[in-house]
Amino acid sequence: CILRHVCTSSSVQELKGVTPEVLETLISNGFETLAELSVTPLVELLAMEGIDEEVGQSILEQVKQRLENLENV
């Protein structure tokens, strides 16, 4: 990530269309930044309570798009 300080400081709270419960699950499982989520396999997200395949894929797609946008700035 070219703008590492931006990527690492982008909070999971910035994810769109994710319920507060899912955000709390991510945070309680140690995911606080988009950078941390960017290296997480879908199966790891699916193992968390309240995250199904649709939600997990949405999260990972958003993370990928956000980090690509930051790198292209």
Side-chain angles (χ1 to χ4, degrees), residues 31-69:
F31 297 100
E32 296 181 5
T33 68
L34 299 184
E36 291 167 335
L37 279 172
S38 72
V39 295
T40 304
L42 178 60
V43 292
E44 191 172 326
L45 293 180
L46 296 178
M48 295 179 209
E49 187 174 335
I51 299 180
D52 60 19
E53 191 161 349
E54 182 179 338
V55 172
Q57 287 180 335
S58 171
I59 289 170
L60 293 180
E61 187 59 36
Q62 285 186 65
V63 168
K64 180 181 170 191
Q65 287 179 348
R66 282 294 299 276
L67 296 183
E68 283 176 358
N69 289 343

Side-chain angles (χ1 to χ4, degrees), residues 15-35:
L15 292 169
K16 307 283 186 238
V18 178
T19 66
E21 293 79 13
V22 169
L23 288 175
E24 184 60 40
T25 297
L26 291 171
I27 293 167
S28 68
N29 279 279
F31 297 100
E32 296 181 5
T33 68
L34 299 184

